[in-house]
Amino acid sequence: MKIKAGRNLGWILILSIVFNSCLVTRQVKNGDMLYKEKQYTLAADLLQKELNAETDPQLKAKETFEVAECYRLSGQSVPAEEWYKKAADYNLDDRAQYLYALMLKNNEKYDDAVNAFNEYLKVAPYDEEARAQVEACNLASQWQKEKSNKKVTDVESLNSPAYDYAPAFYGKNGMVFTSDRSNAAGEDIYGWTGEKFSDIYVAYRDSGNHYGTPVPFSDVLNSPANEGTVCFNKDFTECYFTRCIGGVSYNIFCKIYYSYRTGETWSDPQLIPMFEDSCNVVQPCLSGDGKELYVSSDADGGYGGKDLYVLSKTADGLGNPQSLGPVINTTGDEGFPYVAPEGTLYFSSNGLDGMGGLDIFSAKRINNQWGNVQNLKAPVNSGADDFGFISEKVNPKDVHAIRSQGYFCSNRPGGKGKDDIYHFVEEKTKVYLVAGDVVQKKFEKENDPNSNVVGFDPLPAAAVTLVELDKSGNPVNGSQKNLKTGTNGKFQFALEAEKKYKISAAHTDYFTKSEDVTTVGLIKVDKDTVTATVRIILDRIYKNVQVNISNIYYDYNKANIRADAAKVLDTLVVLLKENPNVKVEIGSHTDSRGKDEYNINLSLARAQSVVNYLVNNGVDAARLSAKGYGETQPVNECVNGVKCTEEQFQANRRTTFKVISDTYSLESKPPDTIIQNPNKKDEQ
């Protein structure tokens, strides 16, 4: 069953559109003659009137089928579906059931279409094309349900109630396209579409990216005939376009014409000879470098329907057309070629797996051959006819958010006219991740938290929690995510754009710890996947062990907290708040210089100043106790009567942290330099 549901309308205006006395509105004897003359808009109305008076069942079936054909061939799939169903009920021709199923597909009724194709297969079980259509319907239904990062909008300022299609950029801010709107040149109505003969129009956009009112492009290029798809060289001084001129015969053809611009004036268009005379050559597209001209044609020797060809430009002119081959061309129709600046080929086809009528596809050139054909899927493609794709350079200020953008045409429902121009934006699908690991310290002396840290070991089975924070830094209800680390201690969470998070890690016999992570501002990072990395170091619980808190210094003979010590204690505040069940003892030690009783009192005052700092910063006083050890617990041999260096004395002047109900080891790093009071001889 070599019947294509696709957009014959796509070829109506550009492949088979004609300007001749036979196709201009005129008196005829009946609807059947209008149908045969391809005046489908007029034929559909007249045939329906004749049906009301017809009594012969076979003639009624024939006329019903012709009404359905008129609607299909003029791109009106909704009434075509209705009339094919009526024609199929007459059971006169199996084609009616097949085309009824195709119209269901074009109208995105994919489940109903599958059922209708299966009904057809009962009488035509060997029709492989019908079986392929069943698979295509299932695939289209799946594509329709997939989440897409493309947004499509109707460019209302360019569109009219008529047919508007085939956009092309012109100059810096211009958009050229084809339309058969009411102010097109000439006075005749084209019987196929019921509209005027098409012309080329141009509209210009302002700084806000809004297009103004379209106006006829050129009195030289536009004529009473049908003008179609146009393309330009890179400096817009040359153009190729489609024109369809008829005579007294119905066998008229569309061809490619050439014109060049001098100043603001275009030269008289000249026919570009290619292929034989008795074929259509349409929809020209120049490659970015201007060295190749792509066209669509129904010339003999193709794969079926309309195929895509390329002609190489040389100093002597255009070479012979070369087919793009069976990977691109099918037994259906291929048209509207467009080569994007980066070299990707876009085209429309109803012979490849698609969503309904014409679908837009992309292809890559590999070793001078086109391949890797991909359907652009929904929402660019639909059950209707989708064609005339062009891409547009993304503004540098938007490249962090937009992957690609451009325009295409469609006769999908909801538009302003019969064919409309649409704008699409493909947003970058940014993935935000936080990836990290939970580790524990590896000490120089095993199980001695006061010895040097020599590395880190992964901590398996740690409970990691991610929670989103609001603007005030409070957890957002319902945002919590939980997981456990694997044997390598690693974890990963997916994040959302422009959000702040807190990640906490906990493990039995370890102190819970949190880190802040944010994606605020990362939207401007020009990467598809943005990953923040974090390492959470959990300190092991050592019961009733005093652990040194490094970098806690005091001025001579004073117990108040200095600014440099406060930075360390702020970290301790956070950790104590995150572990509210912990009760701790803060201890203070002096070196051996000075009287024993004095050192006890001074160390107690210093320990109490730490406790006071913690309380003043929100830690419950009931969880804290202060103890002054004086010089009773030296960590080296610097006792009374022993001569020591200042560094040895400093090692004994320390503040310690001991968990009473549990134990926590604050990270201890030896200072690069020790801040000393000038009167260091007497400093305690």
Side-chain angles (χ1 to χ4, degrees):
M1 177 70 66
K2 300 299 182 183
I3 301 174
K4 293 297 176 184
R7 175 190 181 75
N8 280 298
L9 181 58
W11 315 102
I12 293 172
L13 300 176
I14 329 181
L15 294 180
S16 306
I17 345 187
V18 296
F19 173 63
N20 65 60
S21 58
C22 295
L23 291 187
V24 176
T25 306
R26 61 188 179 87
Q27 294 294 322
V28 294
K29 293 181 179 180
N30 56 41
D32 181 64
M33 288 185 65
L34 285 172
Y35 169 72
K36 290 177 179 176
E37 292 176 357
K38 301 179 182 179
Q39 299 197 67
Y40 297 124
T41 300
L42 300 175
D45 292 338
L46 188 54
L47 284 167
Q48 289 179 66
K49 292 177 182 178
E50 293 172 354
L51 268 170
N52 293 329
E54 186 59 65
T55 58
D56 186 323
Q58 287 195 334
L59 287 178
K60 287 180 74 73
K62 175 178 177 292
E63 290 175 342
T64 299
F65 183 81
E66 287 180 347
V67 172
E69 285 281 84
C70 286
Y71 283 125
R72 176 176 71 89
L73 294 170
S74 59
Q76 301 180 70
S77 60
V78 173
E81 174 195 325
E82 174 188 351
W83 283 93
Y84 279 126
K85 179 65 170 68
K86 293 178 180 179
D89 290 342
Y90 281 108
N91 202 27
L92 183 66
D93 190 333
D94 295 339
R95 292 182 303 161
Q97 177 65 28
Y98 183 88
L99 290 168
Y100 167 60
L102 282 173
M103 292 303 99
L104 288 169
K105 180 187 178 188
N106 281 22
N107 294 328
E108 298 184 1
K109 300 177 181 178
Y110 295 119
D111 292 340
D112 293 339
V114 169
N115 293 333
F117 278 121
N118 286 332
E119 284 297 312
Y120 168 77
L121 285 168
K122 290 179 181 178
V123 297
Y126 301 108
D127 192 328
E128 293 303 320
E129 188 170 345
R131 295 187 184 278
Q133 289 288 358
V134 171
E135 294 302 316
C137 286
N138 291 328
L139 192 60
S141 180
Q142 176 184 329
W143 289 344
Q144 198 176 50
K145 296 172 184 176
E146 291 177 356
K147 185 177 180 180
S148 174
N149 60 331
K150 296 186 180 74
K151 294 183 178 179
V152 171
T153 54
D154 188 333
V155 189
E156 294 186 4
S157 60
L158 296 180
N159 295 319
S160 72
Y163 295 94
D164 305 292
Y165 58 95
F169 296 115
Y170 181 68
K172 186 177 181 180
N173 297 309
M175 173 75 78
V176 169
F177 62 97
T178 304
S179 178
D180 55 10
R181 58 188 62 199
S182 59
N183 65 343
E187 300 298 329
D188 293 315
I189 298 299
Y190 183 32
W192 189 321
T193 64
E195 303 289 346
K196 297 188 72 175
F197 288 83
S198 59
D199 276 348
I200 301 170
Y201 284 78
V202 64
Y204 294 91
R205 57 184 168 187
D206 58 24
S207 58
N209 224 26
H210 302 293
Y211 283 97
T213 303
V215 296
F217 179 65
S218 167
D219 292 338
V220 177
L221 270 60
N222 289 329
S223 74
N226 275 302
E227 277 77 39
T229 310
V230 61
C231 70
F232 300 93
N233 64 348
K234 62 183 180 181
D235 60 3
F236 305 99
T237 58
E238 298 179 312
C239 75
Y240 296 83
F241 67 98
T242 305
R243 176 178 285 175
C244 307
I245 299 179
V248 297
S249 166
Y250 297 130
N251 296 319
I252 51 83
F253 302 97
C254 302
K255 300 294 183 181
I256 303 298
Y257 286 75
Y258 169 81
S259 177
Y260 62 89
R261 180 169 59 86
T262 303
E264 299 299 322
T265 304
W266 289 94
S267 66
D268 289 334
Q270 301 296 316
L271 174 66
I272 303 296
M274 61 181 79
F275 299 104
E276 65 273 15
D277 291 337
S278 58
C279 73
N280 295 292
V281 189
V282 295
Q283 300 152 9
C285 168
L286 276 173
S287 60
D289 59 10
K291 295 181 179 180
E292 294 178 324
L293 179 68
Y294 292 80
V295 298
S296 176
S297 178
D298 58 4
D300 291 340
Y303 294 89
K306 288 81 180 175
D307 287 348
L308 296 185
Y309 296 84
V310 61
L311 298 88
S312 296
K313 295 181 68 176
T314 66
D316 298 326
L318 291 170
N320 294 324
Q322 302 295 320
S323 171
L324 297 196
V327 175
I328 302 296
N329 294 317
T330 69
T331 57
D333 292 323
E334 281 70 48
F336 299 95
Y338 168 74
V339 180
E342 85 284 355
T344 301
L345 170 68
Y346 294 90
F347 64 99
S348 290
S349 174
N350 58 21
L352 297 165
D353 285 342
M355 299 187 69
L358 289 173
D359 270 18
I360 302 171
F361 296 83
S362 67
K364 298 289 187 181
R365 193 177 342 224
I366 305 171
N367 296 327
N368 211 32
Q369 296 291 325
W370 291 105
N372 191 26
V373 176
Q374 301 290 325
N375 188 301
L376 266 58
K377 303 182 182 180
V380 171
N381 286 325
S382 67
D385 294 319
D386 306 294
F387 58 101
F389 179 100
I390 60 173
S391 63
E392 180 178 29
K393 186 178 180 180
V394 177
N395 191 307
K397 69 180 181 63
D398 297 324
V399 293
H400 65 277
I402 298 176
R403 180 181 304 282
S404 66
Q405 61 185 18
Y407 298 83
F408 69 97
C409 308
S410 180
N411 66 344
R412 64 187 63 188
K416 192 174 183 179
K418 298 175 181 177
D419 280 341
D420 278 340
I421 298 172
Y422 289 83
H423 182 251
F424 78 90
V425 172
E426 180 187 11
E427 298 177 341
K428 284 190 174 179
T429 307
K430 279 188 176 294
V431 177
Y432 298 95
L433 301 173
V434 56
D437 59 356
V438 180
V439 298
Q440 60 179 323
K441 297 172 183 176
K442 186 176 182 180
F443 294 105
E444 185 177 30
K445 296 179 182 179
E446 188 174 358
N447 295 324
D448 181 0
N450 289 313
S451 64
N452 293 330
V453 176
V454 295
F456 300 94
D457 290 327
L459 194 56
V464 184
T465 300
L466 174 79
V467 63
E468 181 187 337
L469 303 178
D470 62 19
K471 292 181 179 179
S472 299
N474 299 315
V476 175
N477 291 334
S479 66
Q480 182 170 312
K481 298 179 182 179
N482 303 290
L483 56 76
K484 284 188 178 292
T485 58
T487 56
N488 58 4
K490 294 185 180 299
F491 64 86
Q492 179 173 290
F493 288 103
L495 309 178
E496 296 182 23
E498 302 299 301
K499 297 289 181 67
K500 294 182 179 180
Y501 298 88
K502 182 179 288 292
I503 298 178
S504 300
H507 196 289
T508 304
D509 297 330
Y510 289 83
F511 199 85
T512 299
K513 190 176 181 182
S514 298
E515 296 287 350
D516 290 332
V517 175
T518 181
T519 59
V520 175
L522 296 183
I523 192 171
K524 294 186 177 181
V525 177
D526 191 17
K527 292 182 179 179
D528 291 341
T529 301
V530 182
T531 304
T533 58
V534 63
R535 165 165 282 189
I536 301 179
I537 304 171
L538 295 190
D539 290 278
R540 191 181 186 91
I541 296 171
Y542 294 94
K543 190 173 181 179
N544 294 320
V545 174
Q546 290 191 72
V547 181
N548 293 336
I549 306 176
S550 298
N551 301 336
I552 303 295
Y553 304 115
Y554 302 89
D555 289 331
Y556 171 67
N557 203 29
K558 293 182 179 180
N560 60 292
I561 301 299
R562 289 179 7 181
D564 51 359
K567 295 178 181 179
V568 177
L569 294 181
D570 286 341
T571 303
L572 185 57
V573 170
V574 173
L575 294 173
L576 288 173
K577 287 182 177 180
E578 289 181 340
N579 295 264
N581 295 324
V582 171
K583 295 182 179 181
V584 300
E585 174 197 279
I586 300 297
S588 181
H589 303 257
T590 69
D591 61 37
S592 60
R593 292 174 295 185
K595 296 180 180 181
D596 293 351
E597 183 178 356
Y598 179 84
N599 285 341
I600 288 290
N601 293 332
L602 179 59
S603 62
L604 177 60
R606 288 176 171 176
Q608 187 61 50
S609 68
V610 172
V611 169
N612 293 342
Y613 185 91
L614 299 176
V615 171
N616 291 337
N617 283 275
V619 180
D620 186 354
R623 299 169 54 198
L624 305 171
S625 64
K627 186 174 179 63
Y629 289 91
E631 58 184 83
T632 62
Q633 295 183 2
V635 295
N636 52 36
E637 293 77 18
C638 290
V639 296
N640 290 334
V642 177
K643 187 176 181 181
C644 296
T645 65
E646 179 56 36
E647 189 170 348
Q648 289 173 313
F649 282 129
Q650 177 62 65
N652 286 328
R653 295 197 305 270
R654 66 197 188 279
T655 299
T656 58
F657 176 88
K658 181 170 72 174
V659 176
I660 298 171
S661 64
D662 207 343
T663 303
Y664 166 69
S665 174
L666 187 67
E667 181 175 349
S668 178
K669 292 184 178 179
D672 294 331
T673 60
I674 297 176
I675 303 176
Q676 303 175 36
N677 187 280
N679 192 2
K680 61 183 179 180
K681 180 177 179 180
D682 298 321
E683 186 176 349
Q684 304 299 311

